Each structure stands twice: as structure tokens, then as C-alpha cells.
Amino acid sequence: FEIPKGADVVKPSRSKELPPSDPDWLYVRTASMVRKVYIRAGTGVGGFRKVYGGQQRRGTQTKHFCKSSGKVARYVLQQLEEMGLVEQYENGGR
């Protein structure tokens, strides 16, 4: 599993203010995604964006749900496909 160059400065969601403080956050996210694919097969990038999304704080306005980064989910799924742990479905998803 290769870690991309900017993994230490990228935010996993638009709702987050700072990047994760844990240097191994991408490994933790990958393990979580493998588990979720095992439990519920056929989940795609859009589904993972919803699962890992959260509330975006907008100051004095009400909170609003925000999806997580699609690039992170897509990158992790592509790496898992190269390793042979995940395969694509015909109808979409993995």
C-alpha cells in the first residue's frame, strides 16, 4: 500500500478544519473501508463519502451535513483493487 505525497496535509472531509494529527490515518481509513466492503458489498465511492461525512460547522448558522473527500475513498479503493482484496461489481461499486 503506497501513501501519496500530500497525505500529511490533505483533509479527509470538507467539514474538517485541519488534517488528521495521526500519521497513520490513511491505514486506519483503509482498514475501516475493507471491513465495510466485507459487511456490505457493492458500496462505491459515493457510499463511502456519505459514511465518512460529518456535520460542517458554519459559525452562527445551523450545522449542515457534508460528504467526505471522494479522492481519498477512490484512492483507497484503487489501492485495494491492485492488492486483490476488492473487485468491481458489474453494476458499479465494489
Side-chain angles (χ1 to χ4, degrees):
F1 190 83
E2 295 180 20
I3 300 293
K5 270 187 181 177
D8 56 340
V9 294
V10 75
K11 297 190 312 181
S13 176
R14 196 178 78 194
S15 63
K16 302 293 183 188
E17 293 182 8
L18 296 172
S21 58
D22 183 16
D24 294 334
W25 72 271
L26 195 59
Y27 293 118
V28 175
R29 174 68 58 94
T30 303
S32 173
M33 286 178 70
V34 169
R35 181 179 177 274
K36 289 190 183 297
V37 166
Y38 177 74
I39 291 172
R40 184 176 177 192
T43 307
V45 174
F48 282 118
R49 288 187 70 195
K50 281 186 217 168
V51 167
Y52 294 110
Q55 297 293 326
Q56 182 178 15
R57 298 185 306 170
R58 304 186 300 165
T60 58
Q61 300 171 350
T62 57
K63 294 179 182 175
H64 182 73
F65 181 78
C66 176
K67 292 181 180 179
S68 70
S69 171
K71 170 72 176 175
V72 173
R74 194 175 313 109
Y75 179 78
V76 168
L77 288 173
Q78 288 171 352
Q79 290 293 315
L80 291 173
E81 279 183 28
E82 288 180 10
M83 292 169 38
L85 296 174
V86 175
E87 59 185 27
Q88 286 191 354
Y89 271 13
E90 298 152 355
N91 299 337
R94 287 166 173 89

